Amino acid sequence: MKMNINKKIASLLLLGILSAGSWSCKKMLDVPTEDKLDSVNAFKTVSDADAAVIGIYGQFLGLEKLYILQNELRGDLMDVTSRSSTDLQELSSHTETKNNQYVDPRPYYQVIVNCNDVLKNFKMMVDDRRMSVDDYNKRYSDIATLRSWIYLHLGIQYGSVPYITDAIETVDDLKNLANYPKTPFDQLLDKLIAFNESLPYKEAYAYPTGTSLLVTIDANSTQKLFASKAFLLGDLYLWKGNYIKAAENYAKLMNAENGNANDNFRFNFYKINNSGDVAYANLAVLFSRSGQDPTSLINSLDAGWRAIFALPTTSSPWSTEWLWAMPYNTAFKPVNPMIDLCSPFKSYQIKPSQAIKDLWNSQVTTSGVPFDPRSKLSFNASAMGEEITKLTDNGGKWGIYRASLLHLRFSEAANRDGQTKLGWALLNTGIRNTYYVGTITAGAQAPVSVAELNTMITPYPQTSPYYFDARKNNDVSGTWYRNCGIRGRAVVNAIDVSYQTDMIGLEGKLIDEAALELAFEGNRWPDLVRIARRQNNPAFLADRIYQKLLKAGNPNASLARQKLMDPANWYLPFDWK
């Protein structure tokens, strides 16, 4: 199939960022002949290649609704409302059939098909010297990573799927995709790891400063628009069970700014902190009065933990948290589909489950208040209903990878690789507070002996992904000294120190924390499947879905649990209509 790029649309995509998120292969093929471009004319220059990249991401944005619903509504943190469609009710209760619109795999393959075509044309461009090798390496690696990310999600949702990397030339070829052999999930992981390790450009950021694809237009930056190669590789290795390789790739991002001469970058980017520079500490859970009085919780689009999802993409604090996020531009279509699903003033078909509300309410803040402040900052309860504001604030963004997810995934890998104490530290109180042996009597800046100071460094070689320098006194500032842990930033009590030596117990706590911190962001179903697979324990997944349905009063709760005790039933039916 030819990748036909309408020049006007491509321009709008580049300037407005995301105006064509609802593209599909069929729609592209149905563009009037005079608006079409053949491959030769469409891929003449690097500017044409850039338009193709942004065009692909514009189409990719159209997958958010399907992705979020498959990963959250099938999990235990999101529930249906009295207004939900039959398809959504089925998805939530695991009674879906192949005719359910949220089971259809075609939207994913429509993007994959266009990725394949763009990759083919990029190769032709570099071969014909229409694009330099350096420009090719970056753009090819970017689109290839995006395609691999989609394939990983397909494997998680459907189990065995066709793995197609060659360009499809005709619509009939696309229609015949059902006839392609399916690759089992474990084999798919092997193929994706091998392919992504072979990419010619694997730096921490998709494009370096100065690249033509990095622009800021209409208060939106494209810097974090592009897929994160290291994060994807970390995820692939984590699913495969190669924990040291997973940790290495995650650590590459956690330490991406360690050498930056600008201390705001060095100490804050992807570090999870609640101290230091006021602007960069602005993403912690904050209270306007001492004692963490619940009525003084800062619930704002501009400050505090809720601002993680609401600040503009040009904001430096926003950039300290996000590694991959796609904003919606209110000046262009499509609008954020989650607004319609979440808002009580619109169709209102999804809401927080009672299970996640109970989990939030079971936490205790560091001053003894019995609730997790992140609950009030993730959804808004009113007489009209419960709106998941995390998905709708300021028009909404599709946030895919952020620092909290990075720390939780790294901790999961480290824990399984025997570094349980390090996983505990990043989850709870931070590296410095966990590892320091000594007593600081005159505040955080007080001098301590060299021996004591060095206990603020994790006890691993500097070449290890587990090496973190959190030293701090009047003379030394290690890059990780501000790290306070995910629960520390949320001002909830640390879990018991006994988990520092309890691998399976800590793994469960990490997944619980992922629910508290990352609810509704699209990670829940993969988390449950990954741990249940690893522990060979279907009940890890089935029990959580059962509790969600039971608390919702769903009469099929027991039947759903019985179904999910068979791992074969974790996967959606793959039907190519």
Side-chain angles (χ1 to χ4, degrees):
M1 191 196 82
K2 292 183 182 300
M3 174 66 178
N4 302 303
I5 300 178
N6 180 293
K7 284 184 177 179
K8 181 178 180 181
I9 292 177
S11 177
L12 286 173
L13 282 166
L14 190 56
L15 298 179
I17 296 181
L18 301 168
S19 65
S22 59
W23 278 8
S24 72
C25 288
K26 183 177 185 301
K27 288 179 181 178
M28 294 175 72
L29 287 167
D30 287 345
V31 174
T33 303
E34 60 269 22
D35 289 336
K36 288 188 177 182
L37 299 173
D38 59 32
S39 295
V40 174
N41 290 327
F43 292 91
K44 285 184 174 180
T45 67
V46 172
S47 295
D48 295 331
D50 288 350
V53 169
I54 299 296
I56 288 290
Y57 277 95
Q59 186 187 14
F60 173 71
L61 185 66
L63 297 179
E64 184 203 14
K65 178 180 176 180
L66 183 58
Y67 173 80
I68 294 292
L69 292 174
Q70 285 184 342
N71 284 320
E72 294 295 344
L73 201 52
R74 297 184 74 209
D76 58 329
L77 312 181
M78 184 182 284
D79 205 351
V80 292
T81 72
S82 60
R83 294 195 239 166
S84 295
S85 68
T86 299
D87 282 354
L88 289 180
Q89 292 176 39
E90 290 176 355
L91 198 66
S92 180
S93 61
H94 291 268
T95 56
E96 69 282 329
T97 66
K98 65 181 183 180
N99 295 318
N100 189 306
Q101 66 173 309
Y102 299 108
V103 170
D104 187 1
R106 287 180 301 172
Y108 297 113
Y109 278 95
Q110 288 168 353
V111 182
I112 286 171
V113 163
N114 286 334
C115 287
N116 290 345
D117 194 85
V118 165
L119 293 174
K120 180 192 74 174
N121 280 285
F122 283 176
K123 183 64 168 62
M124 293 170 61
M125 288 183 74
V126 73
D127 288 346
D128 295 343
R129 298 185 180 181
R130 285 175 274 153
M131 180 161 57
S132 71
V133 172
D134 184 61
D135 286 336
Y136 165 81
N137 287 346
K138 294 180 176 64
R139 287 154 183 80
Y140 180 93
S141 299
D142 178 24
I143 297 301
T145 299
L146 181 67
R147 184 186 68 186
S148 293
W149 184 92
I150 298 172
Y151 270 124
L152 173 60
H153 179 68
L154 282 166
I156 293 168
Q157 293 296 328
Y158 299 94
S160 296
V161 298
Y163 181 58
I164 303 168
T165 58
D166 293 330
I168 293 175
E169 299 298 334
T170 69
V171 178
D172 287 338
D173 290 337
L174 182 62
K175 290 179 180 178
N176 292 329
L177 187 143
N179 298 325
Y180 282 78
K182 294 184 177 68
T183 301
F185 186 38
D186 278 331
Q187 293 179 27
L188 179 65
L189 290 172
D190 291 334
K191 289 178 180 292
L192 293 174
I193 288 171
F195 175 75
N196 283 273
E197 284 286 16
S198 72
L199 292 177
Y201 187 82
K202 294 187 294 183
E203 297 305 312
Y205 297 115
Y207 298 98
T209 301
T211 304
S212 54
L213 279 161
L214 301 184
V215 294
T216 300
I217 301 292
D218 296 334
N220 276 312
S221 169
T222 61
Q223 185 180 36
K224 302 298 179 72
L225 182 72
F226 309 104
S228 172
K229 302 173 187 64
F231 212 132
L232 175 64
L233 267 172
D235 284 351
L236 292 170
Y237 280 119
L238 189 65
W239 278 93
K240 194 63 184 176
N242 189 334
Y243 303 115
I244 183 64
K245 290 295 291 183
E248 287 173 357
N249 279 281
Y250 293 138
K252 183 177 183 179
L253 297 172
M254 295 167 76
N255 296 307
E257 297 292 346
N258 283 11
N260 198 313
N262 184 332
D263 283 351
N264 286 327
F265 284 77
R266 179 185 173 205
F267 294 129
N268 295 302
F269 270 61
Y270 321 130
K271 298 294 196 290
I272 307 292
N273 69 68
N274 62 359
S275 62
D277 185 282
V278 173
Y280 291 89
N282 204 28
L283 303 183
V285 170
L286 304 173
F287 294 85
S288 60
R289 290 195 291 272
S290 62
Q292 297 171 5
D293 177 358
T295 64
S296 71
L297 176 66
I298 295 178
N299 190 340
S300 167
L301 303 183
D302 303 311
W305 192 85
R306 184 176 177 181
I308 288 173
F309 310 96
L311 286 171
T313 60
T314 51
S315 162
S316 292
W318 183 87
S319 292
T320 69
E321 178 75 13
W322 289 99
L323 295 105
W324 185 15
M326 306 185 69
Y328 286 89
N329 191 317
T330 56
F332 300 102
K333 292 182 179 180
V335 297
N336 179 3
M338 307 314 295
I339 293 175
D340 177 68
L341 291 172
C342 295
S343 173
F345 298 99
K346 296 185 179 293
S347 72
Y348 187 49
Q349 299 188 64
I350 57 175
K351 66 179 182 180
S353 70
Q354 189 61 46
I356 182 57
K357 289 187 289 183
D358 288 348
L359 185 60
W360 272 319
N361 289 333
S362 70
Q363 308 302 304
V364 179
T365 70
T366 53
S367 67
V369 180
F371 84 115
D372 189 323
R374 290 172 291 188
S375 61
K376 300 181 184 297
L377 307 176
S378 296
F379 76 97
N380 179 52
S382 70
M384 297 292 294
E386 296 174 331
E387 178 178 354
I388 300 174
T389 54
K390 184 184 275 191
L391 299 177
T392 64
D393 278 343
N394 278 353
K397 303 174 184 69
W398 182 9
I400 302 172
Y401 286 151
R402 65 183 178 99
S404 290
L405 177 65
L406 177 63
H407 283 222
L408 285 167
R409 294 271 170 87
F410 176 88
S411 296
E412 183 183 327
N415 177 51
R416 275 286 170 170
D417 197 36
Q419 315 304 324
T420 305
K421 183 175 181 179
L422 179 56
W424 188 99
L426 292 168
L427 170 62
N428 290 285
T429 60
I431 293 167
R432 184 175 174 222
N433 291 330
T434 301
Y435 283 89
Y436 176 57
V437 177
T439 302
I440 298 178
T441 58
Q445 302 294 317
V448 294
S449 69
V450 172
E452 283 188 18
L453 187 66
N454 287 341
T455 66
M456 300 176 188
I457 304 174
T458 55
Y460 307 98
Q462 291 191 30
T463 55
S464 168
Y466 306 127
Y467 175 88
F468 296 95
D469 182 354
R471 292 175 298 166
K472 182 60 180 175
N473 66 5
N474 290 330
D475 304 312
V476 178
S477 295
T479 52
W480 282 86
Y481 87 90
R482 292 181 182 175
N483 171 246
C484 64
I486 293 172
R487 292 178 70 82
R489 188 172 73 169
V491 297
V492 291
N493 283 336
I495 65 172
D496 194 84
V497 294
S498 63
Y499 285 97
Q500 292 184 9
T501 56
D502 181 356
M503 178 183 293
I504 299 300
L506 183 61
E507 188 163 79
K509 289 297 184 181
L510 287 168
I511 298 305
D512 285 346
E513 192 63 29
L516 298 165
E517 173 75 17
L518 306 169
F520 322 129
E521 295 178 41
N523 300 291
R524 189 55 173 177
W525 184 253
D527 282 351
L528 297 181
V529 172
R530 189 173 61 257
I531 304 303
R533 277 168 49 98
R534 180 185 299 149
Q535 296 184 1
N536 192 26
N537 179 17
F540 186 93
L541 179 151
D543 285 347
R544 285 165 170 79
I545 306 306
Y546 169 74
Q547 286 297 322
K548 169 187 128 171
L549 298 175
L550 183 67
K551 291 180 178 184
N554 190 311
N556 294 317
S558 294
L559 289 176
R561 184 187 186 279
Q562 181 180 351
K563 176 182 179 180
L564 294 171
M565 285 299 292
D566 181 355
N569 293 326
W570 297 347
Y571 302 104
L572 295 171
F574 187 96
D575 186 65
W576 194 263
K577 302 173 185 177

